[in-house]
């Protein structure tokens, strides 16, 4: 399924360029790592990346591990802060506490470079964090359009997350790319 099928293309074209829409479609569906990397760079710019993403995906970067560690730390801090500062209903307190623990667990597994092992946890965690942010609205069919209207930047990110496959790709390098791209938005949000 093309990512552009998840939402009305006329609605989405009001907030992002046709090039970004095509890059997102390519990114989710392509298998060639060169094509994936090129498309991901376009999407990362839409997510507010100032160039770190491209450095993180370069194979020959001498400081890639150090940069990835700093990036993971930034992601960890920002997502934790987002969860901690989110006002929730009393019934969701346990979910909020669990989310904080799950963020730590995800970051630990990611730091071990076991990308396929943390992929499903990442998606599940994000769905729970977004639920904590927006409540029951996230369970409704029109949430993606709602997110686009109230915060186009977040809506584009959520559109990306909704387009990812439920299971990790067989190629761990592609999984890493999927994860880092989603984390890029959250590290800058």
């Amino acid at each position: 399924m093309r990512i552009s099928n998840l939402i009305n293309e006329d609605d989405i074209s009001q907030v992002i360029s046709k090039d970004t829409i095509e890059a997102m479609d390519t990114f989710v569906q392509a298998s060639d790592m060169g094509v994936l990397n090129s498309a991901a760079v376009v999407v990362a710019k839409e997510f507010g990346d100032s160039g770190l993403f491209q450095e993180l995906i370069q194979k020959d970067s001498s400081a890639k591990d150090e940069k990835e560690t700093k990036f993971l730390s930034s992601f960890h801090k920002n997502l934790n802060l987002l969860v901690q500062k989110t006002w929730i209903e009393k019934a969701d307190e346990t979910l909020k506490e669990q989310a904080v623990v799950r963020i730590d667990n995800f970051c630990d597994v990611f730091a071990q470079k076991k990308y396929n092992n943390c992929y499903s946890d990442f998606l599940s965690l994000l769905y729970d964090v977004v639920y904590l942010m927006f409540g029951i609205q996230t369970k409704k069919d029109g949430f993606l359009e709602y997110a686009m209207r109230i915060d186009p930047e977040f809506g584009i990110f959520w559109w990306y997350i909704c387009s990812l496959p439920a299971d990790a790709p067989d190629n761990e390098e592609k999984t890493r790319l999927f994860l880092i791209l989603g984390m890029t938005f959250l590290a800058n949000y």
Side-chain angles (χ1 to χ4, degrees):
M1 172 174 65
R2 289 178 45 90
I3 189 170
S4 54
N5 291 343
L6 291 174
I7 192 168
N8 181 320
E9 213 164 317
D10 291 335
D11 293 340
I12 194 69
S13 66
Q14 294 177 24
V15 291
I16 62 174
S17 71
K18 184 175 175 97
D19 290 342
T20 302
I21 294 169
E22 290 173 5
M24 286 179 78
D25 273 328
T26 298
F27 178 69
V28 171
Q29 299 200 24
S31 57
D32 177 84
M33 289 308 296
V35 172
L36 282 165
N37 287 344
S38 296
V41 167
V42 172
V43 177
K45 286 179 186 172
E46 191 71 40
F47 286 174
D49 178 59
S50 59
L52 177 60
F53 178 83
Q54 196 163 4
E55 292 176 28
L56 289 170
I57 64 172
Q58 290 178 350
K59 287 186 177 189
D60 57 354
S61 174
S62 60
K64 186 171 96 172
D65 285 342
E66 182 182 323
K67 288 177 183 179
E68 186 173 290
T69 300
K70 287 181 181 179
F71 172 76
L72 183 60
S73 175
S74 176
F75 165 79
H76 183 265
K77 288 176 189 173
N78 282 4
L79 193 56
N80 247 325
L81 184 62
L82 183 64
V83 170
Q84 295 290 349
K85 299 296 181 184
T86 299
W87 182 87
I88 58 166
E89 299 289 334
K90 186 150 182 75
D92 294 327
E93 286 177 0
T94 301
L95 181 61
K96 184 175 181 176
E97 292 168 5
Q98 291 171 346
V100 171
V101 171
R102 290 170 59 209
I103 293 167
D104 294 343
N105 292 340
F106 166 78
C107 289
D108 288 345
V109 175
F110 186 92
Q112 296 170 28
K113 302 186 182 315
K114 297 180 179 177
Y115 308 116
N116 282 3
N117 292 354
C118 64
Y119 178 81
S120 295
D121 293 336
F122 178 71
L123 293 181
S124 175
L125 174 62
L126 290 186
Y127 275 87
D128 287 347
V129 169
V130 170
Y131 172 79
L132 291 170
M133 292 170 61
F134 292 97
I136 196 71
Q137 183 71 30
T138 60
K139 306 293 183 190
K140 297 181 180 174
D141 286 340
F143 178 68
L144 183 57
E145 288 85 358
Y146 172 79
M148 284 286 185
R149 279 194 319 275
I150 64 165
D151 185 348
E153 289 176 354
F154 177 81
I156 294 164
F157 164 72
W158 195 241
W159 181 41
Y160 166 72
I161 295 300
C162 291
S163 72
L164 293 176
D167 297 318
D170 291 335
N171 180 336
E172 195 142 12
E173 191 176 347
K174 184 174 182 177
T175 302
R176 178 181 181 268
L177 203 55
F178 281 1
L179 292 170
I180 290 178
L181 187 55
M183 293 166 67
T184 294
F185 177 83
L186 292 167
N188 294 309
Y189 191 58

